[in-house]
Amino acid sequence: MSLKKTLADVLAKAVPGEEVTVAGWVRAFRNQRFIALNDGSTAENLQLVVDPEKLDENLLKQIGFHACVRARGKLVESPAAGQKYELQVEEVEVLGDNPLSEYPLQPKRMTMEFLREHAAFRLRTQTLSSVFRLRHGLGYAIHRYFHENHFYYLHTPIITGSDAEGAGEMFRVTTLDLNDPPRTEDGAVDWKQDFFGHPTNLTVSGQLQAETGALALGRVYTFGPTFRAEKSNTPRHLAEFWMIEPEAAFFDLKDDMDLAEDFLKYLIRYALENYERDLNFLDKRLEQEERNKKKEERRPMGLLETLNFVLEHPFERITYTEAIRLLQGSKPYKKGRFQFPVEWGKDLQAEHERWLVEKKFGRPVIVCDYPKDIKAFYMRLNDDGKTVAAMDVLFPGIGEVIGGSQREERYDLLQQRMMEMNIPQEEMQWYLDLRKFGGAPHAGFGLGFERLVQFVSGMSNIRDVIAFPRYPGHAEF
RNA sequence: GCCUCCAUAGCUCAGUUGGUUAGAGCGGCGGACUGUUAAUCCGUAGGUCCCAGGUUCAAGUCCUGGUGGGGGCGCCA
C-alpha cells in the first residue's frame, strides 16, 4: 500500500516524463498560463503550466489566489529559470473556488497584526506555513532527542489539584454554577460539591509530578500545554503555551546545564539540517523586516547566521554572584543607565540579562547559583547556605528560554524551605514523601516551546508561532 | 498592573500653520497578453477619516473620555 503523494514527495523524487496528480492552493496565477501551486507539505511551489485556449473560460476565471485546485499532467524539466521542474497540465479541476472580492487575504505582503485577525487563513501564507512546519519539526526533534537519551515521555495532568506550584496565577476549573454556587453554613463557596470535591486549576507546570517519574523511571520529560493567568502583554508571553520539562535522577546542576546546552544545540542543528528551505525563506523575510528598522535596533546577525553561531560556540556559564560583579563594573551601571538596581540579592532584570547576553558575551549565557530568597522552594540549597542550585539559560533577543534547578532532595531542608515560604505542607506531603522514601539527587528544567520556535524562526512576536494564541482578552475559535 | 506610540479605501500608507470636492501604491472588478517568477499594460469602482463628546466661522488635523492594535517594563517559559 502506498499513500497519496504530497507535493514534497513529488518534488523530492521528480522523474521527468512521469504523470502525476497534485492538489493544493494557488499562490499566484500569471499570464493565464502559470500557476504556482502549494499544498503545505513544503515551502517549495510546483509550477503548473496550462494552455488557456484548451480550458473552459469559466474554469479559468476560478483559478485565482488561494483557490484550491487539482491537476493531472506530465512532469517536465522547466525551460525557464526559477524552478527545476514544472507540470504540463492535461486536466485541471477547481476543488474550492475562492471569491476574491470577499477574501480577506491578498497576494502581497501582509502585516503579522493583520494576519492575526484572520487566524483561520493565516497558515496559508508562506511565512506562517514555514513557521508551523518548523514548529512541527522541533516538536519531533524534542521527542527524538529524549528518546535517544533514555528519557521517557510522561503525561502529567492538565487539571491539577495543587495550587502550590508557585509559578504564577492559575485558571480555576469548576463545574459549579458561578451565578449560584452551593454554600456552606458560614456562607463560603462549598467546594466539596464541585466535580472533584475540592478546588482545581489548569496546570502551570508539570515539574512536581515529573519528579515522581524521575524517581521511578530515572529520566522522564513532559511536553504539554501549560496555563498562566498572568495579564502579561508582551511579545514573549502567552496564557496558554507548551512547555518541555525534563527531570532526571542522579543529575546535579552541572549535568542539568549540560543537558540544557546539548538539547538546545541538538534542536537547532536538527532544524538547520531538515528545514533548510523554510529557514532560508524566514531568513530572507527577517532581513527585509530588519531593513525597516533603525540601525541601533537591528539584530547584529541574520537568522541563519545566529543559529550557526549558537551551534559553534559554547554557552557562557557564570554564577549569579559573578554576574552581579560584572554588571557593577559595566558602562551602563557606572553611567546610571540601568533603570533597576544591581546588588546582590536582587533579581536580574531584563535590561541586565540583555547586557550580559548581547553586550558582554554576545552568545547564550547560563546564569546559576541564585540567592535562595528570589527562587522557588524546591531548589537545592548550596553549601554556602545563601544560594540555590538554580540556572537560567538566556538567549539573545528573547531572554530566558530555560529555567531549571537541582531539586532539594533532603527532607528536613525541603520542609524548612516550605515553612519559610508558606507552602501548605498537607497538600504537598506526597512531594515530601518522595524524599523520605528512596529519594535521590535529581534535577530538571522547563523550556518554553514557543520561545524556542520564536528563536529558531526569527519571529518577533510569540503570538505568531502558535496557531491559536491565547492572551489577555483573546480566546477566539 | 504601569509607561509609551498608533488608528484615514480590502491592505500599506501620505494628507502642510485647522480651510471648502480626502490622495497614492498594492489588492478587487472589467479587458489585453504564448515563458511568467510579488508578471506586465489599459480601464474602473471603493471612504461614517475607530467611537462619543468638546473648542472653532471652519476639525482627518486641536482637546477630553472610551475602544482596538503595536512596543517597553513587571510576572515568567
Side-chain angles (χ1 to χ4, degrees):
Chain A
M1 195 173 78
S2 70
L3 285 180
K4 204 169 257 190
K5 283 183 178 172
T6 63
L7 222 57
D9 297 325
V10 169
L11 289 163
K13 296 166 209 150
V15 181
E18 187 187 18
E19 187 180 281
V20 295
T21 298
V22 293
W25 292 268
V26 175
R27 283 268 167 86
F29 186 28
R30 289 179 287 270
N31 213 354
Q32 290 186 294
R33 185 162 291 270
F34 307 103
I35 300 169
L37 192 78
N38 187 282
D39 73 347
S41 61
T42 163
E44 202 177 356
N45 297 332
L46 176 65
Q47 172 156 284
L48 311 185
V49 186
V50 298
D51 186 343
E53 279 161 31
K54 288 186 187 164
L55 288 185
D56 177 72
E57 201 177 315
N58 286 325
L59 181 74
L60 208 60
K61 275 185 182 166
Q62 284 184 13
I63 301 173
F65 180 64
H66 283 185
C68 184
V69 304
R70 177 157 60 201
R72 185 178 56 78
K74 198 194 282 180
L75 211 56
V76 298
E77 285 184 22
S78 179
Q83 60 281 312
K84 200 169 175 201
Y85 300 103
E86 63 186 26
L87 191 75
Q88 277 180 347
V89 172
E90 278 147 36
E91 194 184 354
V92 63
E93 174 189 3
V94 173
L95 298 178
D97 185 18
N98 194 31
L100 289 175
S101 53
E102 297 164 49
Y103 188 57
L105 304 198
Q106 301 180 6
K108 56 181 280 194
R109 177 168 278 268
M110 291 166 284
T111 60
M112 287 299 135
E113 293 78 25
F114 172 73
L115 288 171
R116 238 169 265 155
E117 289 170 20
H118 301 284
F121 298 124
R122 69 174 180 162
L123 300 189
R124 292 180 187 176
T125 63
Q126 282 194 80
T127 301
L128 275 287
S129 63
S130 279
V131 167
F132 282 87
R133 278 188 293 272
L134 195 58
R135 183 184 165 111
H136 160 83
L138 287 166
Y140 172 72
I142 284 163
H143 289 299
R144 212 176 83 160
Y145 177 86
F146 284 132
H147 180 75
E148 285 170 358
N149 289 287
H150 314 292
F151 282 76
Y152 293 103
Y153 186 17
L154 185 72
H155 297 95
T156 50
I158 289 166
I159 297 174
T160 170
S162 163
D163 58 2
E165 287 150 9
E169 288 295 310
M170 302 181 98
F171 288 102
R172 174 59 47 89
V173 175
T174 181
T175 55
L176 295 182
D177 179 359
L178 292 181
N179 292 314
D180 185 23
R183 304 271 179 190
T184 58
E185 274 173 27
D186 58 5
V189 172
D190 186 6
W191 290 102
K192 285 200 174 111
Q193 291 190 46
D194 201 358
F195 188 90
F196 295 107
H198 59 86
T200 51
N201 298 291
L202 293 178
T203 184
V204 292
S205 161
Q207 180 205 313
L208 303 188
Q209 292 97 335
E211 286 184 49
T212 69
L215 297 181
L217 298 164
R219 296 178 186 186
V220 296
Y221 68 105
T222 73
F223 184 2
T226 310
F227 308 86
R228 305 268 166 98
E230 304 283 352
K231 289 201 169 164
S232 302
N233 266 304
T234 86
R236 295 176 303 281
H237 290 84
L238 290 165
E240 177 182 302
F241 64 100
W242 286 62
M243 188 152 64
I244 298 107
E245 294 175 288
E247 195 70 37
F250 321 120
F251 269 43
D252 62 16
L253 190 68
K254 178 175 181 301
D255 299 322
D256 204 32
M257 293 192 282
D258 290 345
L259 175 68
E261 181 167 348
D262 189 52
F263 178 53
L264 287 169
K265 285 181 170 170
Y266 178 96
L267 300 178
I268 292 167
R269 191 176 304 115
Y270 182 86
L272 284 166
E273 284 170 3
N274 294 278
Y275 288 83
E276 193 185 356
R277 210 175 280 279
D278 291 302
L279 283 171
N280 281 339
F281 174 79
L282 291 167
D283 182 66
K284 281 195 200 98
R285 193 201 79 88
L286 189 64
E287 196 186 314
Q288 277 179 19
E289 193 181 81
E290 289 286 299
R291 270 187 218 146
N292 301 327
K293 286 189 187 163
K294 288 180 210 151
K295 265 212 175 113
E296 59 272 22
E297 286 168 13
R298 285 185 199 162
R299 299 162 56 113
M301 285 185 254
L303 178 61
L304 290 170
E305 208 183 341
T306 304
L307 297 178
N308 282 303
F309 183 88
V310 167
L311 277 191
E312 286 157 15
H313 296 81
F315 294 4
E316 192 69 37
R317 297 184 188 190
I318 57 168
T319 65
Y320 166 88
T321 305
E322 281 165 14
I324 292 292
R325 197 178 319 128
L326 288 171
L327 282 159
Q328 286 176 340
S330 72
K331 255 190 203 166
Y333 179 80
K334 287 176 180 161
K335 290 187 177 172
R337 297 258 168 78
F338 285 135
Q339 199 193 328
F340 292 89
V342 180
E343 58 183 275
W344 202 96
K346 291 239 159 71
D347 209 355
L348 298 180
Q349 302 296 318
E351 59 180 358
H352 308 139
E353 296 179 349
R354 262 208 314 277
W355 181 82
L356 287 168
V357 174
E358 288 158 25
K359 293 279 185 297
K360 175 68 187 170
F361 295 114
R363 69 177 77 168
V365 177
I366 308 180
V367 181
C368 63
D369 298 326
Y370 284 84
K372 64 175 182 171
D373 292 335
I374 57 172
K375 288 290 178 185
F377 74 92
Y378 49 73
M379 297 183 177
R380 191 180 194 279
L381 191 66
N382 287 326
D383 292 344
D384 61 13
K386 294 189 300 186
T387 62
V388 289
M391 61 108 179
D392 284 355
V393 181
L394 311 176
F395 264 26
I398 43 178
E400 187 179 342
V401 284
I402 280 180
S405 66
Q406 184 175 343
R407 319 307 186 188
E408 182 58 79
E409 84 281 12
R410 297 162 295 188
Y411 190 99
D412 294 348
L413 285 170
L414 180 62
Q415 192 178 36
Q416 193 186 324
R417 288 297 289 152
M418 286 173 72
M419 287 196 303
E420 280 168 22
M421 296 175 90
N422 293 318
I423 308 291
Q425 242 189 83
E426 319 78 64
E427 266 185 53
M428 300 293 289
Q429 193 54 50
W430 64 272
Y431 187 71
L432 275 162
D433 284 349
L434 282 175
R435 278 75 183 161
K436 188 171 171 184
F437 303 104
H442 60 289
F445 62 75
L447 166 67
F449 186 48
E450 282 76 15
R451 287 190 183 170
L452 172 75
V453 180
Q454 237 189 312
F455 181 75
V456 179
S457 67
M459 298 299 286
S460 51
N461 196 310
I462 200 165
R463 295 163 190 172
D464 302 321
V465 301
I466 186 165
F468 304 102
R470 301 282 109 117
Y471 52 103
H474 293 270
E476 287 87 13
F477 300 90

